[in-house]
Amino acid sequence: MGIRVLHAALAGSLLLGAAGCGGDGDKDGLPKDYKVVAGTQLCGGHAISAEASRALKVITGSSRFEASGEEYTVAQAARNLVDVFPTVTGREDACRIFLPIGSRQFQLRITWSLESAAPTGPVASKFTLLKMGELTMTGTEKAYVFFACRSPRLLDSTNVAQIALAVEYWAMPRDPQDNVEGLKDAYATVAHSFSLAMAKELRCEKNGGLPAKPVLDRA
């Protein structure tokens, strides 16, 4: 099937097919190609490190997730970015992460955008600054990584793309929460993992200045 359809109980949630359509589902009413996978297999299989997969368990309480749709890969996100560079953009989908059918409703949305520059103003009090890339800020429901990329894949390799990568809980805010520091570290770890994978896919010089492992020291 390939194209994912709306989740019955959560607008914007995408499944790998429509349950019960034309005999394509199994005896449980699920599409035959519906899969549940480990975190490291999400978003094309190269975007979520083992460390980030453990961080997803901190965020979601689960180590198993719906398999990502074919359109949700770091390679596709990089191609989309190259196509629009150097235009400043809004936030564009890179990947969405859902718990399996039958679990509680939960969606993480990973997005990218092209910016004119990393923000320089004051950061909202719910965010903590970390020492990664141009700027990294993390909270209990979202994290942002800003990094600069010079790459031969861009139209003009002398130009630098200012990229923002966000990981966000996609529902009504739930603050305040328990385990505040643990959640902040977990969101930052997932955001770092996808950002580094994106930098590698784009062939950014020195991986856009991102470290090989997440740096969770407070700035």
Side-chain angles (χ1 to χ4, degrees), residues 1-6 14-21 29-34 101:
M1 294 182 182
I3 302 297
R4 308 180 83 189
V5 298
L6 290 178
L14 301 173
L15 302 176
L16 291 175
C21 293
L30 296 176
K32 290 181 180 179
D33 57 357
Y34 181 81
I101 290 176

Side-chain angles (χ1 to χ4, degrees), residues 9-213:
L10 180 61
S13 176
L14 301 173
L15 302 176
L16 291 175
C21 293
D24 289 334
D26 61 21
K27 64 182 180 180
D28 298 319
L30 296 176
K32 290 181 180 179
D33 57 357
Y34 181 81
K35 294 180 181 179
V36 176
V37 300
T40 53
Q41 296 173 275
L42 294 168
C43 309
H46 304 288
I48 305 298
S49 66
E51 193 168 8
S53 182
R54 291 191 292 271
L56 283 176
K57 187 171 184 179
V58 174
I59 294 169
T60 68
S62 176
S63 57
R64 306 292 286 175
F65 307 91
E66 287 188 10
S68 301
E70 295 177 358
E71 70 275 29
Y72 289 141
T73 69
V74 68
Q76 184 61 55
R79 284 193 292 270
N80 293 343
L81 186 151
V82 169
D83 286 345
V84 299
F85 177 80
T87 304
V88 172
T89 70
R91 293 168 61 185
E92 304 290 339
D93 272 339
C95 191
R96 296 191 184 189
I97 297 173
F98 305 98
L99 296 182
I101 290 176
S103 305
R104 66 189 178 92
Q105 297 171 11
F106 196 101
Q107 178 185 171
L108 286 181
R109 186 180 180 188
I110 303 177
T111 59
W112 62 267
S113 60
L114 283 170
E115 308 286 337
S116 57
T120 57
V123 173
S125 59
K126 67 180 179 179
F127 288 109
T128 295
L129 294 179
L130 302 179
K131 300 175 181 178
M132 290 192 290
E134 300 281 296
L135 173 69
T136 295
M137 51 189 183
T138 188
T140 59
E141 294 178 348
K142 65 184 72 172
Y144 297 91
V145 175
F146 295 81
F147 65 98
C149 176
R150 179 177 283 109
S151 166
R153 289 195 63 182
L154 302 175
L155 291 176
D156 184 344
S157 62
T158 63
N159 287 339
V160 177
Q162 298 287 342
I163 301 170
L165 195 289
V167 177
E168 182 175 1
Y169 170 65
W170 200 247
M172 293 297 293
R174 298 179 299 140
D175 285 323
Q177 297 188 41
D178 296 332
N179 192 23
V180 168
E181 294 306 312
L183 283 169
K184 286 184 176 183
D185 287 352
Y187 272 93
T189 298
V190 176
H192 163 269
S193 180
F194 203 101
S195 296
L196 182 60
M198 188 83 154
K200 289 180 176 179
E201 190 69 35
L202 289 167
R203 303 203 302 273
C204 302
E205 289 183 8
K206 299 180 180 179
N207 291 331
L210 295 171
K213 297 287 185 179

